[in-house]
Amino acid sequence: MGESGAVPPRFAPGDRVRARAGDPDGHTRLPRYARGQTGRIVALTGNWPLADDVAAHRPAPRNEPVYTVAFDARALWGEGGHEVTLDLWQSYLEPAAESAAGPAAGEEPV
C-alpha cells in the first residue's frame, strides 16, 4: 500500500487485462456480462474506496486504483462493432494471458 493506504496501480494504459470470472458473495460493481472477458486499459482514473467494501459497511474500505477498461461489444454480447467501456477496480482485473486471450477491444485478431 502507498503512504495514504492506497493500493499502487498494477496496470497502465494499453495493458490487456481479463475481468475476473466468478460470482462473489455480496455486492460487486463487476457486471456479470464482463466477467471472464478480455479488455484493454484505457485510463487510470485514480484510487477510490472499493464499492464492495463500502456496500458491506466495512469501516476501512480498501482504496484501490480504478481503471477505464474497453471491451469489444461483440465479445460481450455476440454483436456490435463498437467498444464498451467500464470503470473497474483493480481487484476485479488480472493480466490477460497472451496465449489464452482473444484480441482486446480495438485490436485485430492475429
Side-chain angles (χ1 to χ4, degrees), residues 69-90:
V69 182
F71 296 92
D72 181 65
R74 184 172 305 276
L76 297 180
W77 298 304
E79 60 185 41
H82 61 281
E83 290 183 341
V84 175
T85 57
L86 300 170
D87 290 335
L88 300 174
W89 274 264
Q90 182 162 281

Side-chain angles (χ1 to χ4, degrees), residues 8 14-15 19 24-25 27-28 39 41 47 50 53 59 65 67 76 92 98 100 104:
D15 286 354
D25 291 335
H27 175 82
T28 183
I41 299 290
N47 280 53
L50 180 62
D53 288 353
Y67 303 91
L76 297 180
Y92 297 166
E98 291 296 326

